[in-house]
Amino acid sequence: MSCSTENIERILDNINEPIYATDINTHEILYANKYLKDLYKGKKLIGNICYRALQGSEAPCDFCTNEVLKKEKNKSYSWEHYNPILDKSYLLTDKVIEWTDKRLVRFEFAVDISRLKETEKSLMKKIEYEKTI
């Protein structure tokens, strides 16, 4: 059974979490799923530079995982990040994959953990308060 690029895009566009792929050397966004495009309210993402489009920065992010991924090409890398543009916290999983033209790209799948982080903060406040009693 073969799965076409169109079918894979259809699948990824129906996942309600941000997914995108960027050229690991140029930071150009090569793919963004519908959910991510909707988060950025239709802003042009494809062909744009990730740190400009997603973070509003003029230089690569200090938290960019590209160098980590280049060293560990066969492993995925999971981490947490707060995005101030979207005012959301994410659990991110990044992995280097080979694109259709054979270049290496960073594929990122993000899960919104904002409610979890808020619950965590509330629990920490409660624990700190109980220590004072």
Side-chain angles (χ1 to χ4, degrees):
M1 183 167 104
S2 175
C3 196
S4 70
T5 302
E6 183 180 296
N7 284 333
I8 292 169
E9 284 187 26
R10 186 175 292 125
I11 291 166
L12 295 176
D13 280 343
N14 280 285
I15 295 173
N16 290 328
E17 297 291 356
I19 300 171
Y20 71 101
T22 62
D23 182 296
I24 201 159
N25 294 309
T26 67
H27 303 273
E28 176 189 1
I29 299 173
L30 304 172
Y31 172 80
N33 73 339
K34 181 182 180 318
Y35 188 83
L36 183 63
K37 290 175 188 173
D38 290 347
L39 279 177
Y40 282 88
K41 299 177 181 24
K43 179 180 183 180
K44 182 183 179 288
L45 297 179
I46 308 300
N48 208 332
I49 302 301
C50 61
Y51 51 83
R52 288 186 189 130
L54 305 177
Q55 300 295 327
S57 178
E58 285 304 313
C61 304
D62 59 355
F63 52 81
C64 183
T65 62
N66 285 357
E67 293 308 312
V68 173
L69 294 172
K70 286 177 185 178
K71 290 177 188 168
E72 302 286 341
K73 286 182 188 166
N74 295 323
K75 294 182 181 178
S76 60
Y77 179 72
S78 295
W79 56 294
E80 290 182 14
H81 177 68
Y82 171 75
N83 182 317
I85 304 269
L86 300 174
D87 190 28
K88 294 183 181 285
S89 294
Y90 290 98
L91 173 61
L92 306 144
T93 300
D94 298 345
K95 176 110 171 65
V96 172
I97 62 171
E98 188 176 278
W99 205 239
T100 56
D101 60 6
K102 304 295 183 201
R103 66 180 147 170
L104 297 179
V105 303
R106 175 174 49 104
F107 176 81
E108 184 167 284
F109 183 94
V111 176
D112 184 349
I113 58 170
S114 300
R115 287 192 304 172
L116 177 65
K117 296 308 263 181
E118 287 301 316
T119 301
E120 185 179 83
K121 282 181 193 174
S122 295
L123 287 171
M124 293 306 289
K125 284 180 184 177
K126 183 178 180 182
I127 289 168
E128 289 303 313
Y129 173 74
E130 289 176 355
K131 285 180 182 178
T132 63
I133 299 177

